[in-house]
C-alpha cells in the first residue's frame, strides 16, 4: 500500500480536520462531531437538503455542502454508512422550519440508517422527505431500476434540488425536482484498477494486466463484464449506448453530460471520453446543452471513469444553471 497517510484508523477524521482547517469559514462541525458537517451560513426558512454515505468518494457527499446545494451531511468510515444518530444530527442542522429533503445513494446501510433518522426526526416535529439516487444503469435491468446504485449522476440531482430549495420552493416541490432529476439521469462506468482501503491495505478487487471492467461500482461492486482494455472511443461507446437505450434518449432530445473521473484518471483522459460522447450524440441528433468534466464522485485511487446523461427540459436547465458552489465543487458550463 502506497498512500500518504498517518494512522489508517485516523484517516477519515484527519482528512475532515484538514478540510475544516482549510474551509472553516464555510463549513462547521455539528455538535463537535466532525463526521457531521453543515453550512456555517444559510438563508433561513428554506428547505434543507441532507446527504450522506461512506467516506472515500470526495467530493461526493461532504463536498456538496454548499450554497445552492446541500445544507448538511453525515459521513461514515471509508465505504461505510454513518450512524442513524449522525444522520439525525445532520437533519436537525439542516432544518430551518421548512422541512428537510434526504437525498443520497441507494445503498442498504445508508437507506436503513436514514429511514431510522427520519423517523426520529418526525418524532421531534421535523418534516422530511427522501429521494434516492439510482442512476447506475448497468447495476440492474430497467424492470428493477429501483434497486440500482446511486453513483455520479446523484451530483446532478444535488444541483437541481439545491436550486429549487434556494429559490424558495416548499419541501414537496424540492423533492419532486430531485425525483425528476433522478428519473432523467443514467450513468455507466468503467474500472481500470482497484481502490485500496486504508485500514485493510488490500485491493477491493483484482483485475489482470490489460483488463478492464464495465459497470463496476464505486465501492468495487461487480460490473457487467470484464475484458481486454479497449481504446478510449470503444470504452466510451460501451458506456453511452446503454444509457441512451435505458433513458430513451433519441434525436431532438437535449441532455447534460457529466464525465466523471474515479480518482486516478488524468483529466486528459476524461476529455478524450467527452470528445467521443460529443461525437456519438451529434451523430444521433442529440443536443448537448450543458457539460461537466472532472472529478465529481470518486473512489479513492480507483482508475476509471463514468459517463452520466441527464435528459433535459426547460425547467431542469433553469435549475442546473442557478448559481451554486461549495469549497470543493463548482458547477458551470
Amino acid at each position: 500500500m502506497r498512500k500518504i497517510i498517518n494512522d489508517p484508523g485516523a484517516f477519515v477524521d484527519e482528512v475532515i480536520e484538514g478540510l475544516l482547517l482549510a474551509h472553516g469559514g464555510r463549513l462547521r462541525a455539528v455538535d463537535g462531531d466532525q463526521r457531521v458537517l453543515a453550512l456555517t451560513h444559510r438563508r433561513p426558512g428554506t428547505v434543507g437538503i441532507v446527504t450522506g454515505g461512506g467516506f472515500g468518494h470526495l467530493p461526493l457527499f461532504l463536498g456538496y455542502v454548499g450554497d445552492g446545494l446541500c445544507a448538511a451531511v453525515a459521513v461514515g468510515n471509508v465505504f461505510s454508512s454513518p450512524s442513524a444518530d449522525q444522520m439525525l444530527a445532520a437533519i436537525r442542522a439542516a432544518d430551518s422550519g421548512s422541512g428537510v429533503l434526504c437525498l443520497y445513494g441507494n445503498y442498504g446501510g445508508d437507506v436503513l440508517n436514514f429511514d431510522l433518522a427520519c423517523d426520529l426526526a418526525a418524532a421531534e416535529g421535523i418534516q422530511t422527505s427522501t429521494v434516492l439516487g439510482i442512476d447506475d444503469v448497468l447495476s440492474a435491468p430497467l424492470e428493477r431500476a429501483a434497486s440500482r446504485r446511486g453513483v455520479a449522476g446523484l451530483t446532478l440531482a444535488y444541483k437541481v434540488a439545491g436550486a429549487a430549495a434556494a429559490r424558495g420552493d416548499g419541501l414537496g416541490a424540492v423533492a419532486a425536482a430531485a425525483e425528476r432529476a433522478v428519473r432523467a439521469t443514467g450513468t455507466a462506468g468503467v474500472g481500470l484498477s482497484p481502490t485500496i482501503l486504508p485500514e485493510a491495505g488490500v485491493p477491493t478487487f483484482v483485475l489482470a494486466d490489460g483488463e478492464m471492467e464495465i459497470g463496476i461500482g464505486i465501492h468495487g461492486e461487480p460490473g457487467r463484464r470484464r475484458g481486454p482494455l479497449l481504446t478510449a472511443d470503444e470504452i466510451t461507446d460501451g458506456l453511452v449506448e446503454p444509457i441512451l437505450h435505458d433513458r430513451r434518449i433519441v434525436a431532438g432530445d437535449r441532455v447534460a453530460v457529466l464525465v466523471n473521473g474515479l480518482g486516478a484518471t488524468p483529466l486528459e483522459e476524461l476529455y478524450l471520453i467527452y470528445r467521443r460522447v460529443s461525437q456519438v450524440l451529434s451523430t444521433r441528433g442529440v443536443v448537448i446543452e450543458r457539460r461537466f468534466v472532472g472529478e465529481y464522485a470518486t473512489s479513492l485511487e480507483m482508475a476509471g471513469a463514468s459517463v452520466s446523461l441527464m435528459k433535459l427540459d426547460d425547467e431542469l436547465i433553469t435549475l442546473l444553471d442557478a448559481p451554486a458552489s461549495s469549497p470543493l465543487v463548482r458547477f458551470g458550463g
Side-chain angles (χ1 to χ4, degrees):
M1 181 173 68
R2 297 181 181 179
K3 289 180 178 289
I4 301 174
I5 59 174
N6 297 309
D7 176 3
F11 174 72
V12 174
D13 291 318
E14 289 187 347
V15 172
I16 296 175
E17 182 181 356
L19 285 167
L20 287 171
L21 288 169
H23 306 296
R26 300 183 67 181
L27 300 174
R28 65 181 177 88
V30 175
D31 298 330
D33 185 350
Q34 289 190 155
R35 302 292 184 94
V36 183
L37 300 179
L39 283 172
T40 53
H41 306 287
R42 57 182 292 246
R43 204 174 88 199
T46 55
V47 170
I49 300 173
V50 167
T51 192
F55 199 71
H57 303 295
L58 285 176
L60 188 60
F61 303 128
L62 70 81
Y64 291 90
V65 176
D67 300 323
L69 296 165
C70 299
V73 63
V75 294
N77 288 323
V78 176
F79 298 178
S80 298
S81 175
S83 69
D85 286 341
Q86 289 170 319
M87 292 170 172
L88 177 60
I91 291 170
R92 289 172 180 150
D95 181 45
S96 63
S98 298
V100 174
L101 171 65
C102 296
L103 178 58
Y104 57 96
N106 186 26
Y107 297 94
D110 297 334
V111 173
L112 180 67
N113 287 335
F114 258 117
D115 282 351
L116 177 55
C118 288
D119 289 342
L120 295 171
E124 297 179 7
I126 301 174
Q127 185 180 6
T128 65
S129 184
T130 295
V131 174
L132 297 179
I134 50 170
D135 56 301
D136 188 349
V137 301
L138 297 180
S139 61
L142 186 58
E143 60 269 21
R144 291 194 289 110
S147 68
R148 287 174 172 171
R149 302 183 290 244
V151 286
L154 178 62
T155 66
L156 297 176
Y158 292 148
K159 180 67 194 67
V160 167
R167 73 183 179 186
D169 289 5
L171 179 57
V174 173
E179 190 65 47
R180 286 178 62 205
V182 168
R183 290 198 307 270
T185 304
T187 300
V190 59
L192 306 180
S193 71
T195 289
I196 298 176
L197 303 184
E199 290 197 71
V202 295
T204 52
F205 61 92
V206 176
L207 284 173
D209 289 344
E211 194 174 38
M212 67 176 194
E213 185 162 355
I214 294 288
I216 199 161
I218 58 174
H219 306 104
E221 298 97 335
R224 180 70 63 86
R225 69 180 185 275
R226 288 189 177 190
L229 181 62
L230 302 176
T231 66
D233 286 356
E234 290 169 330
I235 291 171
T236 305
D237 290 350
L239 302 180
V240 172
E241 293 296 339
I243 303 172
L244 293 175
H245 175 74
D246 189 271
R247 295 296 87 197
R248 296 180 172 86
I249 297 171
V250 298
D253 285 338
R254 299 174 293 166
V255 299
V257 176
L258 186 148
V259 177
N260 171 65
L262 293 177
T265 303
L267 192 57
E268 289 87 346
E269 295 178 20
L270 299 183
Y271 277 104
L272 272 181
I273 293 172
Y274 180 80
R275 165 187 171 274
R276 182 60 175 176
V277 172
S278 180
Q279 291 174 346
V280 171
L281 295 185
S282 177
T283 299
R284 296 293 189 92
V286 177
V287 179
I288 299 176
E289 292 279 1
R290 301 294 183 269
R291 71 277 307 150
F292 310 94
V293 181
E295 290 189 339
Y296 292 86
T298 67
S299 184
L300 292 176
E301 74 274 46
M302 184 188 292
S306 64
V307 172
S308 301
L309 302 179
M310 172 185 273
K311 189 173 178 178
L312 297 174
D313 55 28
D314 290 343
E315 176 68 359
L316 286 174
I317 291 175
T318 296
L319 294 170
L320 282 179
D321 286 349
S325 69
S326 82
L328 300 186
V329 178
R330 288 188 178 275
F331 282 92

